[in-house]
Each structure stands twice: as structure tokens, then as C-alpha cells.
């Protein structure tokens, strides 16, 4: 029975692609290559390995240095995070209240369908907080900027009348901020209250 090589034993992925990368290293004088492969451990668990392979000449000798780091955990965490973000997005889209995200300049960056329906907005509309008359008249973006520095979260209750009925709208504004002013993010949650 023929003994398997290192690659046959431990690299279950496409060896032709790997040969292509290694050929680059072999044919160039001083060369560095970066790629990711699967690597089957002795425990039969397959890991994702991030390889940095460098070819160097030193004292009339040629060396190929390969440094591999296991990124399986990060890949799994990233996949888990993407799944969570997707589920949050689904929740965001179907949440029973109107929700919008707004940047430091008062521009809406994301709005859920309920928020757009409440204020009769179009999806591709370039919209600022004060562009919504109800917000501008009863709150005003400058007022938010002034008070939210201290409080970080504010709630407004606004009486609103339409042609057919009147009702109260509760508007919650929360500030999430990073180190820079430009990294501020406001979350606006709007709900209609029963009178």
C-alpha cells in the first residue's frame, strides 16, 4: 500500500489550486504568497488555515517559510454573526413599531417598512429628521442634539391629528456613540399609542 503524502493526508481541498500558489513561490526569486486552505487534523476535524508563505535567499541558501494560523474559530464566529445580523434584519423589517437609524447629521440611513408606511416615505428617499413635519414641528433635530448629550435617551409623546382621527405618537430617540462625533448613531422608535 502506497503511503500518502502530507498533502493527501491533511489538505482535503483542491490541491490543484494549492499547487498553483506554491508554483508562484517556487518560480519567483523573492516571493510572498497568501492563501487559505482546509487542513485536516489528526483528530479528523477540518480546520481553516490562513497561510503566509515566503521564499527568501540567505547565505546562498533558499528557504521557504510557511506560517499557518487556524482561523476556524473566527470563520465560525463570523458566520454566526452574519446569521444573527440576518435574523436582526428580519426582526427589524417586521418589528411592530417604526424604527429608523439616523447619522450624526440627522440623516436617516435605514428605515424599516413600518416607519416608511407611518410617514408615507419612499425607500430611496434622501431624508433628514426635520424633513418629517411632525418631527420638525414637535421636536427638532437641534433640540435632540442639545439634550441627548446629557441624557442619551429621550422619549416624546406627540398628539397628532389627521382628517379622520387624532392619536398620540410615542417617539423614543437613543444615542449610540463612538469616540468620534461622526460615529454617532441615533435609533428612532415610533409607535402609535391607544388613547
Amino acid at each position: 500500500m502506497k503511503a500518502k503524502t502530507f498533502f493527501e493526508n491533511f489538505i482535503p481541498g483542491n490541491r490543484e489550486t494549492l499547487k498553483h500558489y506554491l508554483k508562484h513561490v517556487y518560480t519567483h526569486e523573492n516571493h510572498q504568497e497568501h492563501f487559505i486552505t482546509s487542513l485536516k487534523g489528526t483528530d479528523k476535524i477540518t480546520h481553516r488555515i490562513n497561510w503566509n508563505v515566503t521564499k527568501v535567499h540567505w547565505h546562498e541558501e533558499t528557504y521557504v517559510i510557511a506560517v499557518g494560523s487556524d482561523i476556524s474559530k473566527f470563520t465560525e464566529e463570523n458566520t454566526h454573526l452574519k446569521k444573527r445580523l440576518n435574523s436582526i434584519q428580519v426582526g427589524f423589517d417586521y418589528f411592530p413599531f417604526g424604527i429608523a437609524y439616523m447619522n450624526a447629521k440627522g440623516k436617516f440611513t435605514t428605515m424599516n417598512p413600518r416607519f416608511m408606511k407611518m410617514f408615507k416615505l419612499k425607500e430611496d428617499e434622501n431624508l433628514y429628521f426635520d424633513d418629517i413635519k411632525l418631527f420638525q414641528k414637535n421636536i427638532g433635530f437641534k433640540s435632540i442634539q442639545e439634550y441627548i448629550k446629557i441624557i442619551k435617551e429621550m422619549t416624546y409623546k406627540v398628539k397628532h391629528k389627521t382628517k379622520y382621527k387624532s392619536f398620540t405618537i410615542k417617539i423614543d430617540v437613543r444615542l449610540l456613540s463612538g469616540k468620534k462625533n461622526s460615529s454617532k448613531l441615533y435609533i428612532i422608535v415610533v409607535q402609535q399609542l391607544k388613547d
Side-chain angles (χ1 to χ4, degrees):
M1 187 170 127
K2 183 183 169 191
K4 289 183 177 180
T5 67
F6 171 81
F7 293 107
E8 290 170 321
N9 258 331
F10 297 107
I11 309 276
N14 185 341
R15 284 189 289 278
E16 290 306 311
T17 304
L18 180 61
K19 283 180 187 176
H20 168 76
Y21 289 127
L22 294 176
K23 186 177 179 181
H24 269 263
V25 173
Y26 180 75
T27 56
H28 292 84
E29 277 304 305
N30 288 307
H31 190 68
Q32 186 164 4
E33 198 70 44
H34 170 259
F35 50 89
I36 297 172
T37 67
S38 299
L39 181 68
K40 193 172 19 172
T42 53
D43 54 4
K44 304 295 182 204
I45 294 174
T46 302
H47 303 273
R48 302 271 300 154
I49 306 298
N50 180 24
W51 294 100
N52 282 299
V53 181
T54 307
K55 179 181 179 182
V56 292
H57 297 283
W58 191 59
H59 292 297
E60 298 180 18
E61 295 289 331
T62 302
Y63 297 91
V64 175
I65 302 163
V67 178
S69 54
D70 188 351
I71 59 169
S72 307
K73 182 180 176 185
F74 301 113
T75 306
E76 287 169 21
E77 286 174 1
N78 200 13
T79 303
H80 178 68
L81 181 61
K82 282 180 185 172
K83 285 179 184 173
R84 283 187 60 202
L85 287 173
N86 286 339
S87 69
I88 288 168
Q89 184 61 41
V90 168
F92 177 77
D93 288 343
Y94 297 103
F95 199 69
F97 305 138
I99 303 174
Y101 297 120
M102 182 173 68
N103 68 17
K105 294 179 180 176
K107 181 181 179 184
F108 288 108
T109 56
T110 309
M111 299 173 275
N112 76 350
R114 194 166 201 88
F115 187 91
M116 291 187 289
K117 185 178 178 184
M118 285 175 132
F119 299 105
K120 298 176 177 65
L121 306 172
K122 294 176 187 154
E123 199 167 319
D124 57 350
E125 211 165 338
N126 194 12
L127 194 71
Y128 287 82
F129 185 85
D130 285 341
D131 291 338
I132 297 175
K133 289 181 183 174
L134 179 83
F135 289 176
Q136 194 272 329
K137 180 182 171 189
N138 295 286
I139 303 168
F141 184 65
K142 285 186 179 181
S143 174
I144 288 176
Q145 286 182 303
E146 185 179 327
Y147 295 117
I148 210 149
K149 291 175 193 172
I150 305 161
I151 304 169
K152 303 291 184 222
E153 189 172 339
M154 297 182 301
T155 299
Y156 301 89
K157 288 186 181 173
V158 177
K159 295 279 185 191
H160 183 60
K161 277 187 181 180
T162 66
K163 193 175 185 179
Y164 305 104
K165 62 179 180 175
S166 69
F167 49 89
T168 302
I169 295 177
K170 181 181 174 200
I171 304 159
D172 292 309
V173 181
R174 177 179 287 176
L175 173 67
L176 302 173
S177 60
K179 292 178 182 177
K180 295 181 181 177
N181 189 47
S182 60
S183 64
K184 279 184 184 174
L185 175 70
Y186 295 90
I187 300 173
I188 316 292
V189 179
V190 181
Q191 61 180 306
Q192 185 177 324
L193 300 176
K194 293 180 181 176
D195 286 334

